[in-house]
Amino acid sequence: MVKLTGVKLSKSFSQHGQEQRVLWDLSLALTPGTMTALIGPSGIGKSTLLNILGLLDRDYQGTVSLDQTVTNDLNDRELAHLRNSQIGFVLQEALLIERLTVRKNILLPTIYGDKQDKAVLAHRVQQLATQIGIETLLDKYPRQLSGGQKQRVVLARALINDPDIILADEPTGSLDEQNAASVVALLAQLAAQGKTVLTVTHDHLVAEQHQYIFRMASGQLVKER
Ligand code: ADP
Ligand code: MG
């Protein structure tokens, strides 16, 4: 299992000639087998941090490491490979491809990177779908699903390559209390398996179910628990 570390991360955006500092010498280390919640007001930089930790954004100061690998030293191709194999992203908006079935949507991340055995993948989709409670939805299309069901499909898609690190940006944002609870329960189950989970949430009930809670303020993290 993989330890994710960010050291002295800084990031600014310039807009209308004005520089806005979003991250300011921010450091954190996420331990495998733990769940961490990231809270803080809208616009403070939570998604910005997640994108950097998730190796989607290279335009920052500081270093991001996975175990001993300093990702700053990797070229784009190596970085994409690492991201695809080790990091599962659950994005804020459940973006599914409408013309593909749920099954094909879940399999999307397997198209890139190393070729994988079709039968093994088919089995894995089935296994994940059962774990997440969407096994009866695999041949449906996104428009036939409720918001909560879509969110779980997005989660399955994030997990299909069996990543060690799961970064979730408001994964329960569009869910009712019951569906939110089941998504959090699943994240907890993954952490119990040794994975590293970081969840951005504005929902205190969701945050409370994480081992560690950090609040983002003035470009830094304040440990609340
Ligand atoms: P949060 O996820 O906490 O709501 P974000 O990380 O999305 O906040 O954004 C933090 C700040 O950075 C916001 O003020 C936002 O306007 C700014 N920002 C984010 N992305 C960009 C961008 N691509 N260009 C300019 N400013 C941006
Ligand atoms: Mg955000």
Side-chain angles (χ1 to χ4, degrees):
M1 291 295 154
V2 176
K3 181 166 185 160
L4 175 63
T5 315
V7 178
K8 287 188 168 292
L9 303 175
S10 292
K11 168 114 188 164
S12 304
F13 291 107
S14 52
Q15 246 183 347
H16 316 299
Q18 272 217 326
E19 182 127 293
Q20 182 197 5
R21 209 156 184 174
V22 176
L23 307 181
W24 198 323
D25 267 356
L26 181 159
S27 297
L28 85 165
L30 299 172
T31 310
T34 67
M35 265 180 114
T36 303
L38 181 57
I39 60 175
S42 178
I44 200 80
K46 304 181 297 297
S47 296
T48 301
L49 176 60
L50 225 62
N51 287 339
I52 290 172
L53 294 175
L55 313 179
L56 291 170
D57 179 7
R58 300 200 82 165
D59 183 21
Y60 63 92
Q61 282 80 54
T63 55
V64 173
S65 303
L66 269 67
D67 284 338
Q68 312 305 323
T69 307
V70 179
T71 64
N72 306 63
D73 298 338
L74 304 177
N75 66 34
D76 286 346
R77 201 183 55 82
E78 292 167 328
L79 197 75
H81 181 266
L82 192 65
R83 180 176 60 228
N84 201 49
S85 59
Q86 309 259 39
I87 296 175
F89 241 105
V90 185
L91 290 174
Q92 199 154 5
E93 269 140 54
L95 290 175
L96 295 171
I97 296 186
E98 290 294 335
R99 65 187 162 75
L100 297 181
T101 60
V102 165
R103 185 189 311 276
K104 290 207 165 143
N105 267 285
I106 293 172
L107 283 167
L108 275 177
T110 67
I111 299 175
Y112 317 103
D114 306 334
K115 254 214 149 28
Q116 300 181 61
D117 186 86
K118 275 213 168 96
V120 172
L121 282 177
H123 178 69
R124 182 148 173 76
V125 171
Q126 204 66 45
Q127 202 182 18
L128 257 179
T130 305
Q131 189 183 13
I132 296 178
I134 53 169
E135 67 273 26
T136 60
L137 306 178
L138 289 174
D139 295 313
K140 292 194 190 290
Y141 287 86
R143 65 175 173 279
Q144 299 173 287
L145 309 184
S146 71
Q149 290 172 328
K150 280 187 200 174
Q151 194 70 54
R152 276 181 279 169
V153 174
V154 169
L155 197 55
R157 185 176 61 187
L159 299 176
I160 188 68
N161 283 337
D162 197 23
D164 288 324
I165 296 161
I166 294 138
L167 303 176
D169 201 345
E170 299 281 5
T172 61
S174 58
L175 304 182
D176 59 36
E177 214 169 298
Q178 194 181 347
N179 277 311
S182 84
V183 165
V184 175
L186 180 67
L187 293 174
Q189 203 178 326
L190 294 165
Q193 287 167 16
K195 297 186 187 289
T196 306
V197 177
L198 178 62
T199 312
V200 170
T201 183
H202 62 261
D203 185 333
H204 278 270
L205 286 176
V206 170
E208 282 301 322
Q209 290 168 72
H210 290 63
Q211 238 161 318
Y212 303 109
I213 303 177
F214 288 102
R215 174 184 299 281
M216 203 160 182
S218 314
Q220 301 226 321
L221 295 179
V222 180
K223 193 163 194 259
E224 299 229 323
R225 178 158 88 193

